Amino acid sequence: MKQYKYFKGGVKVPHYKNSENAETKIMPIPDIIEIPMLHHIGAPCVPLVKVGDYVMVGQKIGDSDKFISSPVHTGVSGTVKKISSVLFPNGMNVQSVVIETDKKQEIHPDVKPPVIESREDFIKAIRESGLVGLGGAGFPTNVKLNPPPGKTVDYLLINGAECEPYITSDYRETIENSWNIISGINIIMEYLEIDKVIIGVEDNKPVSVDVLTDIAKTSDKIDIMSLKSKYPQGAEKMLIYALTGRIVPAGKLPLDVGVIVLNVASVSFIAEYIKTGMPLTKKRITIDGGAVNTPSNIEVFVGTYIKEAIQFSGGFKEVPKKILMGGPMMGVSQFNLDSPILKQNNAILAFNEKQSILPEQTPCIKCGRCVRACPMNLMPVYFDIYHQYKDVEQLEKLDIMSCIECGSCSFVCPANRYLVQSIRNGKALVKAGGSKK
Ligand code: SF4
Ligand code: SF4
C-alpha cells in the first residue's frame, strides 16, 4: 500500500457514522415522483415529455444542447401528470416532471447496453447515461472524462474518503458493490488509456480498505491508500495532493495536473450501465440525524420526495428543526420536506432542536484559528470583514473565489462567526462585479 501525503489545514470532525452497518434497503416505488430538470453544475434540461404522456423505465425525459449538461431519465413507468417547478434552496426555480407511477415498471426499448468501440463512443455513452458526480458535486461525468486537446491524463483517482460526519452511502457502496467499483475502474482505464489508479479511503473505514485491497489484487495497476481521517480529505484538491503529491493551482482543474477524480459510487454506476444500459435513475442515500428513528441507507428513485424517503427509513422521532441535503459541513438546508431527491444527493440529515441551535456570533478575537484550518491557504477572517464593507476589490485580491466552502473555518471559530455564510455573500458580490463602496 502506498503512503499518502498530509494536506495543510483541515479539521478533526466527529464521525457519527451511525448508519455504517445499515445494509441498503430498497424503497418501494412511490405513487408520485417529481424529477427536476437540473441535477448538476451546468445548464438545466428542457423536458422532452408533456402532460398525459406515458413514460417507461429508463426513458430520457429531459436534455440540453449545452456543453456542460447531462440528460435526465425516469426510473419509473407511469403518466406525466404535470410539468411543474421546484424551488431550490439557492433561490433557483427549476422545471420538473411530475409522474404518477403505475408500478408496472415497463422498460423503455432504448434501454440496452451501449455499443462501445472507441473512446468517443465511451464518452458519448457516459453522457447518455445521465451520470453526474455522485459524491455531492454533481459535475457531468462525460465532461470530466473528456480532457480538451493538449491535456494528458495519467492518473485516475477514486474518491472513497467520505470525510463528512454521518454519511455512509459511499462506504456501503464499497462493501455492497466492490466488484462493480473495480469493474468500472477497468472500463475507464481501457477506454481512456490510463494505467495508474489509486483508490483513497479514510482510515476510519478499515473494512472498506480491506475489501478493496483484496479485490484490487486482480490488477497491478490499481493501488489503495488508507488516508488519515481529516476533514476535508475528500475534497478534490486535497485528495489529489494526498494521493499524488500534485498541487492543483488556483483557478485550475484536476485535468490541468493530469488527473481525473471520480467518486466510488460513480465508477460503480459506470460498470452497471455498461452491462445493462440502464441510465442513472436511482440513488443510495444515508438518512440520519437526531430527529429520525433509524439511521439508514436506502436506495430511492431520483425524484422521490424527502418526506417519503424519511418515512420509509423509519420516520421521525422528534419534530425536525433543520433538514440538510448532504453532510453537516457542506450540506444545503432544505425548507421543504416536499423537495425531491437529486442524483447527487448522498444524505438527508434531520436534526432535532438541540442540534439545530445556531450559536450567537461574537466579535472576532483575531485568534487566527480559521486561517490555520483553511486547506486552501486563505484568510477567512478577512473575507468576513471585507464582505461587511462590500469591498469587492479586497475580496478578489484575497482570492475568495478559491474557497471550496468546506466550513473548516466556521467549525473552529471560537467566536462562532458565520464565516461560510459571509464567504458565500462575498462571492455573490464578486460575481455581481464592481465595488459597492
Ligand atoms: S475559507 Fe473556504 S476553503 Fe478555507 S476553511 Fe473556510 S470554507 Fe474552507
Ligand atoms: S477563528 Fe474566528 S475569532 Fe479567530 S480569527 Fe478567525 S474569525 Fe476571528
Side-chain angles (χ1 to χ4, degrees), residues 321-382:
K321 291 291 174 185
K322 186 175 186 181
I323 304 278
L324 284 180
M325 240 180 199
M329 301 298 284
M330 292 187 78
V332 180
S333 283
Q334 300 296 304
F335 49 85
N336 186 355
L337 284 170
D338 287 324
S339 298
I341 286 164
L342 308 176
K343 291 178 187 178
Q344 73 272 38
N345 289 159
N346 48 11
I348 302 290
L349 304 181
F351 291 134
N352 59 26
E353 184 143 26
K354 195 168 152 214
Q355 292 172 313
S356 310
I357 294 167
L358 196 57
E360 209 174 306
Q361 294 193 95
T362 54
C364 169
I365 56 169
K366 306 281 187 298
C367 66
R369 282 189 212 175
C370 56
V371 178
R372 281 196 297 281
C374 180
M376 296 298 293
N377 290 315
L378 301 172
M379 309 273 273
V381 54
Y382 288 112

Side-chain angles (χ1 to χ4, degrees), residues 10 231-232 370-371 373-381 383 400 402-410 419-420 423 427:
Y231 180 83
C370 56
V371 178
C374 180
M376 296 298 293
N377 290 315
L378 301 172
M379 309 273 273
V381 54
F383 296 151
I400 193 171
S402 287
C403 166
I404 57 171
E405 297 178 22
C406 68
S408 298
C409 49
S410 304
L419 296 171
V420 176
I423 290 166
K427 282 183 175 180

